[in-house]
Amino acid sequence: MDLARDSRMDPATEAFVAHRNLLFTLAYELLGSAADAEDVLQESWLRWMGVDLGQVLDQRAYLVRIATRQALKRLRTLGRRKESYVGPWLPEPLLTAPDVAEDVELADSVSMAMLLVLETLQPTERAVFVLREVFGLDYEEIAGAVGKSPAAVRQIAHRARAHVAARRPRGPGSPAEHRAALRAFQRAVETGDLQSLLDVLAPDVVALSDGGGIRHALLRPVVGIDNVARLLAVGWWKRDAHRSVELVQINGGPGLLVRVDGQVDGVVAVRVENGYVTGAYHVRNPEKLSRVERETAVTR
């Protein structure tokens, strides 16, 4: 849906294009899937085309409300799909522009670690949290988007904030610490030298990989430095093919793009707390790797 190429846009189309990246970011944060976020945009566009603009006081708020409602419908469908998913489910990684990292709150909100925290919320809680904490909507606007009273939204927001606060990284690592950790992963992949990697792993590190039943991956989380080290020692990545590893910007922060024989094989992101890696996320499902070779615009 490349509406921006049409130089003869009507006012409704112009408004939608102006807010498209924001709507995509919102849908992606609610769903953890770029493909589903694009579907939400298509559905939102169709509904927006039926709106009388003369009755719309705030186009941004109105579009956010439409997109939120469509995302909530799809989020409930996704929940059913994930129940039959093979192995751990991880968010779809995005190659993002370096300037995304400059907006600390935005970068944090689209990070793999935060998206996994948001997965633990109920759909309405997730929507309220994202709309309030990331996009700064007031309670009345959020109430209209999620179909609740402002008083109920306040309670949901309080509950969601407490839930996220208990699960988000404590002492989150700086971009430099993330890059250092990923460089250690890179050396381990390219040379088999694990010592520098062991030096940055937390004792309770958790490794997750997502192959979606299509590519070889872990079927359950691997927990603890000894187990993760053993996993890496026996070859989390097989070294029987020409492999290249590139440090790139994934979901607003440093990540690794892994290629085998020139083809994208996977993406690695990490969660860093107090200088140590507490989470390692390896996405290999090819259906989730379409957004890692070209930048996706995210904004708020």
mmCIF file of all heavy atoms in Angstrom, residues 13-22:
data_model
loop_
_atom_site.group_PDB
_atom_site.id
_atom_site.type_symbol
_atom_site.label_atom_id
_atom_site.label_comp_id
_atom_site.label_asym_id
_atom_site.label_seq_id
_atom_site.Cartn_x
_atom_site.Cartn_y
_atom_site.Cartn_z
ATOM 1 N N THR A 13 -6.459 10.740 2.082
ATOM 2 C CA THR A 13 -5.241 9.988 1.791
ATOM 3 C C THR A 13 -4.013 10.717 2.330
ATOM 4 O O THR A 13 -3.117 10.103 2.919
ATOM 5 C CB THR A 13 -5.091 9.777 0.275
ATOM 6 O OG1 THR A 13 -6.245 9.104 -0.225
ATOM 7 C CG2 THR A 13 -3.855 8.951 -0.038
ATOM 8 N N GLU A 14 -3.987 12.013 2.159
ATOM 9 C CA GLU A 14 -2.864 12.810 2.648
ATOM 10 C C GLU A 14 -2.716 12.682 4.160
ATOM 11 O O GLU A 14 -1.602 12.542 4.687
ATOM 12 C CB GLU A 14 -3.060 14.271 2.250
ATOM 13 C CG GLU A 14 -1.865 15.155 2.561
ATOM 14 C CD GLU A 14 -2.049 16.567 2.033
ATOM 15 O OE1 GLU A 14 -3.101 16.861 1.442
ATOM 16 O OE2 GLU A 14 -1.123 17.383 2.229
ATOM 17 N N ALA A 15 -3.821 12.712 4.869
ATOM 18 C CA ALA A 15 -3.784 12.570 6.330
ATOM 19 C C ALA A 15 -3.278 11.196 6.730
ATOM 20 O O ALA A 15 -2.473 11.053 7.665
ATOM 21 C CB ALA A 15 -5.170 12.822 6.912
ATOM 22 N N PHE A 16 -3.747 10.173 6.013
ATOM 23 C CA PHE A 16 -3.334 8.808 6.346
ATOM 24 C C PHE A 16 -1.834 8.629 6.104
ATOM 25 O O PHE A 16 -1.118 8.068 6.945
ATOM 26 C CB PHE A 16 -4.119 7.795 5.510
ATOM 27 C CG PHE A 16 -3.960 6.379 5.981
ATOM 28 C CD1 PHE A 16 -4.810 5.845 6.934
ATOM 29 C CD2 PHE A 16 -2.942 5.574 5.472
ATOM 30 C CE1 PHE A 16 -4.655 4.530 7.371
ATOM 31 C CE2 PHE A 16 -2.774 4.267 5.915
ATOM 32 C CZ PHE A 16 -3.638 3.746 6.867
ATOM 33 N N VAL A 17 -1.351 9.134 4.966
ATOM 34 C CA VAL A 17 0.069 9.014 4.648
ATOM 35 C C VAL A 17 0.911 9.758 5.676
ATOM 36 O O VAL A 17 1.971 9.276 6.101
ATOM 37 C CB VAL A 17 0.341 9.556 3.231
ATOM 38 C CG1 VAL A 17 1.839 9.686 2.977
ATOM 39 C CG2 VAL A 17 -0.278 8.627 2.187
ATOM 40 N N ALA A 18 0.444 10.915 6.119
ATOM 41 C CA ALA A 18 1.191 11.709 7.093
ATOM 42 C C ALA A 18 1.383 10.967 8.410
ATOM 43 O O ALA A 18 2.381 11.182 9.114
ATOM 44 C CB ALA A 18 0.474 13.036 7.337
ATOM 45 N N HIS A 19 0.431 10.101 8.752
ATOM 46 C CA HIS A 19 0.488 9.394 10.036
ATOM 47 C C HIS A 19 0.809 7.906 9.870
ATOM 48 O O HIS A 19 0.762 7.158 10.849
ATOM 49 C CB HIS A 19 -0.851 9.545 10.775
ATOM 50 C CG HIS A 19 -1.149 10.949 11.191
ATOM 51 N ND1 HIS A 19 -1.926 11.795 10.444
ATOM 52 C CD2 HIS A 19 -0.751 11.668 12.262
ATOM 53 C CE1 HIS A 19 -2.017 12.970 11.042
ATOM 54 N NE2 HIS A 19 -1.307 12.923 12.153
ATOM 55 N N ARG A 20 1.144 7.502 8.671
ATOM 56 C CA ARG A 20 1.306 6.073 8.405
ATOM 57 C C ARG A 20 2.382 5.421 9.273
ATOM 58 O O ARG A 20 2.171 4.345 9.843
ATOM 59 C CB ARG A 20 1.646 5.848 6.931
ATOM 60 C CG ARG A 20 1.666 4.375 6.552
ATOM 61 C CD ARG A 20 2.252 4.126 5.178
ATOM 62 N NE ARG A 20 2.106 2.734 4.793
ATOM 63 C CZ ARG A 20 2.823 1.734 5.294
ATOM 64 N NH1 ARG A 20 3.756 1.984 6.217
ATOM 65 N NH2 ARG A 20 2.620 0.487 4.895
ATOM 66 N N ASN A 21 3.557 6.046 9.370
ATOM 67 C CA ASN A 21 4.644 5.441 10.149
ATOM 68 C C ASN A 21 4.272 5.321 11.624
ATOM 69 O O ASN A 21 4.616 4.339 12.287
ATOM 70 C CB ASN A 21 5.924 6.253 9.986
ATOM 71 C CG ASN A 21 6.501 6.148 8.583
ATOM 72 O OD1 ASN A 21 6.147 5.249 7.820
ATOM 73 N ND2 ASN A 21 7.371 7.074 8.232
ATOM 74 N N LEU A 22 3.579 6.324 12.142
ATOM 75 C CA LEU A 22 3.117 6.265 13.521
ATOM 76 C C LEU A 22 2.138 5.104 13.704
ATOM 77 O O LEU A 22 2.233 4.337 14.685
ATOM 78 C CB LEU A 22 2.460 7.581 13.917
ATOM 79 C CG LEU A 22 1.860 7.700 15.318
ATOM 80 C CD1 LEU A 22 1.933 9.146 15.781
ATOM 81 C CD2 LEU A 22 0.395 7.248 15.355
#
